[in-house]
Amino acid sequence: MSGHCCDHDHAPAATSSPRYRRVLWAALLINAGMALVEIVSSRLTGSVSLLADAADFLGDAANYGVSLWALGVAAVWRARTAWLKGLSMSLYGLGVLAVAGWQWRQGGTPQAISMGLVGALALAANLSVAVMLYAFREGDANMRAVWLCTRNDAIGNVAVLVAAALVVLTGQAWPDLVVAVGMAALALTGGVSVMRQAQAELRWEQGQPQRAKGCP
């Protein structure tokens, strides 16, 4: 550990690098674009898992934007931002569960072929983001939230492809709904994990009242 009183307030070297900032901008643009694609596709195919994935892409785009803002602020604000992102991940999970329940009551079978094609495009987009972010997967809660969102997205995309194949084989909607519930579970567990780490970082920061004295 460093002996300098202000070291912990500065952003980690990785997060302050121009490369990390460029990666976040690229991730933001990719996620915003895919959100629009999946919103339209979900309405055309009737797939609740694509709709859930579209909401996830939108949430991730917002998370990357918040992460860009958090790069230049003190550690305590980065932790608070990460806590809010964890909360948003958890709320997203609850929202997906609500949509899945509504779709189950409405009935209907999604268009599996179109659903699979869009799922494959989404997987390619998320894998490209995951490759860019892999080097930054460790660090504070803010970085962990960014990585978990990307990881969960890629897992969800694979699940959408499996669901599309099962819809073709069974002619029923239940695989689409099962995937939506699984995506909700990923969001909930990931959100809780980020919130716990952020809370621990906040406790550490608040337990160091003398650390900021004398800092520029």
Side-chain angles (χ1 to χ4, degrees):
M1 295 180 63
S2 172
H4 296 291
C5 70
C6 303
D7 282 353
H8 196 76
D9 270 339
H10 298 159
T15 62
S16 61
S17 72
R19 180 190 170 200
Y20 187 60
R21 190 177 294 273
R22 288 194 298 269
V23 166
L24 287 181
W25 271 113
L28 189 158
L29 294 174
I30 290 171
N31 277 266
M34 282 306 307
L36 293 177
V37 170
E38 288 199 327
I39 286 171
V40 175
S41 300
S42 67
R43 292 186 62 85
L44 294 176
T45 64
S47 169
V48 66
S49 61
L50 282 183
L51 181 60
D53 208 32
D56 196 21
F57 272 119
L58 279 176
D60 288 348
N63 278 340
Y64 294 131
V66 171
S67 295
L68 281 165
W69 169 82
L71 293 181
V73 299
V76 65
W77 283 105
R78 292 199 304 274
R80 288 170 179 166
T81 300
W83 191 90
L84 289 174
K85 288 199 294 186
L87 177 62
S88 72
M89 290 168 67
S90 299
L91 291 176
Y92 156 74
L94 293 175
V96 171
L97 288 176
V99 173
W102 178 83
Q103 186 70 13
W104 176 72
R105 289 176 61 86
Q106 293 295 313
T109 303
Q111 299 175 22
I113 302 299
S114 299
M115 173 184 162
L117 291 174
V118 176
L121 178 61
L123 176 60
N126 276 318
L127 286 177
S128 68
V129 174
V131 169
M132 291 188 292
L133 285 170
Y134 185 77
F136 305 101
R137 67 192 183 281
E138 302 294 343
D140 62 13
N142 215 32
M143 295 178 71
R144 181 169 173 76
V146 169
W147 167 250
L148 283 175
C149 284
T150 306
R151 182 208 66 181
N152 289 355
D153 287 349
I155 294 173
N157 296 147
V158 173
V160 168
L161 292 175
V162 172
L166 289 175
V167 169
V168 170
L169 291 174
T170 65
Q172 299 180 15
W174 66 261
D176 187 49
L177 297 177
V178 168
V179 166
V181 172
M183 292 169 69
L186 274 177
L188 283 168
T189 56
V192 170
S193 174
V194 170
M195 291 170 71
R196 285 177 175 172
Q197 182 175 346
Q199 195 66 36
E201 291 174 9
L202 278 172
R203 284 196 298 267
W204 191 93
E205 290 292 330
Q206 294 167 353
Q208 305 293 322
Q210 302 301 318
R211 190 168 48 81
K213 291 184 178 180
C215 291

